[in-house]
Amino acid sequence: MTRLPRTYATFMLCGATVAALTAAAPATGTAAAEQAAPGSAPAPGSAADQAAAVDGEAPPGLDVLKRGRGMAPGLLFLTPQGRHETPRGPQIVDDRGRPVWYHRIPTGFVAADFQVQEYRGEKVLTWWEGESSPTGTGSGTGYIADENYDVIATVKTPDPGERTDFHEFRLTPDGTALILSYRDEPYDLTPVGGPKDGQVLDYVVQEIDIATGEKVMDWHSLDHIPITDSDRRFDPGMPGPFPYLHLNAVSLDRDGDLLFSGRETSTVYKVDRETGEIVWRLGGKRSDFRLGAGARTIGQHNIEPAGENTYRVFDNQNMGSPGYESRVAWLRIDERRMTAELVRQQVHPDRLTTGLEGNSQALPNGNTFVSWGSPSGRISEFSPSGRLVFDSALPEDISSYRGYRAPWKSTPGTAPEVGVNDAVTAVEAVWNGATEVRDWRVLGGETASRLRPVARAGWQGLDTEVPLPPEARGIDYVKVQALDARGRVIGSSPVEAVEPAASRHR
């Protein structure tokens, strides 16, 4: 490990088989955000995203199965991906499954780890976007966007020969980002049943100064974790280099050191952030702790500190094949006695088995938010007592690598758009990403300069249909006004001529 001085087509993520993907790369760069190159992903918050919303090119919807008392406030942040050739990208939805914002990404791309984080004292949106490989890894870029959905920074590994992976994009209070990358290395695989002249994936954890793009830390798995720790044996039919470890999570412990999750070793690692040395291993073949009943994890994801000497982990309890039901497990360790015990666990009432993906999030009111990964595509929330207070499902064969709930407010800098259906019986009001709209008011008239209120309806998602009363269906010009909870106008569309608008939306 090197710690440097600080200078201030099938798409399934995480170990599933994926088709080779070919698409133009998104905008890259490790300092301030750059303009997207021709043919690359459109910038979030741009006219392209708004146009996609207007054209109905939204990603798969969320079917809300239960909304009970005791839910935490906030919106849901998801990255649907799966086998369907539907539009995809990071999306925000509300508790009723109504879309609030989404960013369309190119065909063949996937997105992951979309959430609210903090950068330079401000709330920002972050996500990873790029291509996925047959080895369950990715090659892409981490994005940071402000409250207007404008990208203000991008992050990726500066090292040639390495690819920035989708499994983690975590901002720190120090103005840095923790990312995962990987590189192919020639390696003797005979200890795991492979060829002497084989190849292995070296998993790399890096801390990147967001403003400069420089590395602050560089940790390589092959320097610390031998391939014989893997539960996986070499398979000659497996594509790509041998994925012996499959690092799928990096987080900060309460003392500032790092926590890693190795799916293929079923081990959680604590790593000294300064030296890179492994402090302890929890689980797996060489666990430093004696595990109590129920404390062993299998193929786990998303390790997080959850109190003094306590850790919360999404425990898949299987390696991609049917097994025990998956769970969120709270594990307490005793570093003096070197023991680990299960404090509590949360399973879904439907006893879901998640082979791939998954995460859990501690909410401010004590609830636990859970994305159950693939194949279920379920998104849930539980009270501290384990009561299910929210449950939802993505369409069949679609999942979200992770899911989060968080408060988020935005009045985008882009203006709303308006359209009229062919029969001039309803108006379509679209404002991608606006969170403060309570109602839409429609203004219409015979001239562009003399418009009057003709209809009003409550917000029903970023694309809301407002029916027109019969007496208003002869209007020649139309615009919409977005009203907040106090009835104030917070956004207005341009005036549109009815016929051109109707023609455009046929």
Side-chain angles (χ1 to χ4, degrees):
M1 170 200 174
T2 303
R3 187 171 178 87
L4 304 174
R6 182 167 295 156
T7 57
Y8 300 72
T10 294
F11 313 98
M12 293 297 279
L13 301 179
C14 197
T17 302
V18 292
L21 307 179
T22 55
T28 60
T30 52
E34 305 167 356
Q35 286 288 340
S40 66
S46 67
D49 275 349
Q50 181 85 340
V54 172
D55 292 339
E57 297 180 14
L62 184 69
D63 184 15
V64 175
L65 307 174
K66 178 182 179 66
R67 294 176 67 246
R69 296 179 60 183
M71 293 187 302
L75 298 167
L76 279 56
F77 297 78
L78 308 173
T79 51
Q81 45 84 23
R83 297 183 176 89
H84 296 301
E85 289 300 319
T86 57
R88 68 192 71 220
Q91 66 169 322
I92 304 173
V93 300
D94 71 2
D95 282 332
R96 299 180 185 273
R98 299 175 297 189
V100 175
W101 177 82
Y102 106 99
H103 163 50
R104 179 181 58 180
I105 62 177
T107 301
F109 272 35
V110 289
D113 208 20
F114 179 41
Q115 60 178 305
V116 178
Q117 298 197 71
E118 190 168 300
Y119 178 53
R120 292 178 171 173
E122 301 291 338
K123 296 295 184 183
V124 293
L125 296 177
T126 64
W127 71 94
W128 177 96
E129 181 180 324
E131 296 175 287
S132 182
S133 78
T135 55
T137 53
S139 179
T141 302
Y143 289 86
I144 303 175
D146 64 15
E147 71 279 3
N148 292 317
Y149 306 100
D150 294 325
V151 172
I152 57 175
T154 59
V155 178
K156 64 189 309 181
T157 175
D159 291 340
E162 293 182 11
R163 284 89 75 196
T164 305
D165 190 29
F166 59 80
H167 282 96
E168 195 67 70
F169 183 38
R170 185 180 296 261
L171 307 191
T172 77
D174 303 316
T176 63
L178 294 170
I179 65 171
L180 284 166
S181 63
Y182 58 95
R183 63 188 306 136
D184 307 342
E185 293 286 358
Y187 214 79
D188 179 2
L189 299 181
T190 54
V192 291
K196 185 176 181 62
D197 59 348
Q199 277 196 322
V200 68
L201 281 179
D202 184 18
Y203 296 85
V204 184
V205 179
Q206 293 179 328
E207 186 173 359
I208 305 294
D209 188 297
I210 296 169
T212 67
E214 296 179 357
K215 285 189 298 184
V216 176
M217 183 197 73
D218 194 45
W219 184 93
H220 290 252
S221 67
L222 289 174
D223 294 338
H224 302 275
I225 303 173
I227 64 172
T228 50
D229 280 6
S230 181
D231 293 326
R232 179 188 285 268
R233 297 287 291 177
F234 179 80
D235 178 357
M238 180 175 54
F242 181 56
Y244 85 103
L245 178 60
H246 197 100
L247 274 185
N248 59 27
V250 180
S251 61
L252 287 172
D253 203 350
R254 289 159 60 96
D255 60 6
D257 282 341
L258 300 174
L259 298 167
F260 300 167
S261 168
R263 178 179 183 268
E264 297 295 348
T265 60
S266 292
T267 303
V268 170
Y269 304 87
K270 179 164 180 168
V271 174
D272 188 295
R273 196 174 174 188
E274 295 293 333
T275 68
E277 296 303 312
I278 293 176
V279 178
W280 48 249
R281 302 170 181 83
L282 175 60
K285 292 180 179 179
R286 293 197 294 150
S287 179
D288 294 313
F289 296 91
R290 186 171 67 254
L291 304 178
R296 182 175 299 278
T297 61
I298 303 174
Q300 77 290 321
H301 289 68
N302 187 227
I303 175 70
E304 299 284 352
E308 188 69 30
N309 296 320
T310 303
Y311 300 92
R312 189 184 69 254
V313 60
F314 184 87
D315 183 14
N316 297 72
Q317 276 291 302
N318 70 88
M319 297 294 286
S321 58
Y324 297 104
E325 63 262 33
S326 299
R327 61 179 182 165
V328 179
W330 285 260
L331 305 175
R332 180 180 295 129
I333 65 169
D334 184 327
E335 292 191 72
R336 184 181 62 84
R337 300 170 58 200
M338 296 307 290
T339 59
E341 62 174 341
L342 177 68
V343 178
R344 58 180 282 226
Q345 66 179 12
Q346 181 68 63
V347 299
H348 194 281
D350 291 343
R351 305 176 73 86
L352 302 174
T353 296
T354 297
L356 309 166
E357 309 168 341
N359 78 299
S360 66
Q361 176 194 11
L363 298 174
N365 68 345
N367 286 3
T368 302
F369 190 77
V370 187
S371 173
W372 294 96
S374 176
S376 73
R378 297 288 281 274
I379 312 290
S380 309
E381 184 178 336
F382 300 87
S383 72
S385 66
R387 179 172 58 91
L388 182 67
V389 296
F390 176 79
D391 199 24
S392 61
L394 291 162
E396 186 178 3
D397 293 331
I398 291 179
S399 64
S400 184
Y401 165 60
R402 288 177 179 169
Y404 300 91
R405 179 192 287 283
W408 178 254
K409 290 185 178 182
S410 176
T411 302
T414 55
E417 291 199 20
V418 61
V420 182
N421 67 2
D422 294 342
V424 196
T425 58
V427 164
E428 182 183 24
V430 179
W431 201 4
N432 193 24
T435 64
E436 303 306 292
V437 182
R438 175 67 63 85
D439 293 296
W440 285 105
R441 181 163 61 200
V442 179
L443 306 181
E446 288 68 43
T447 66
S449 60
R450 299 186 65 182
L451 302 180
R452 65 188 186 279
V454 296
R456 182 166 171 164
W459 180 89
Q460 292 297 327
L462 69 88
D463 185 348
T464 296
E465 184 178 85
V466 184
L468 291 175
E471 62 271 17
R473 295 173 184 175
I475 57 175
D476 297 310
Y477 295 89
V478 65
K479 68 180 290 185
V480 290
Q481 295 175 328
L483 310 179
D484 67 10
R486 297 183 180 182
R488 298 173 301 186
V489 177
I490 57 174
S492 297
S493 73
V495 177
E496 295 280 356
V498 169
E499 284 301 319
S503 300
R504 187 171 68 248
H505 294 288
R506 286 176 181 170

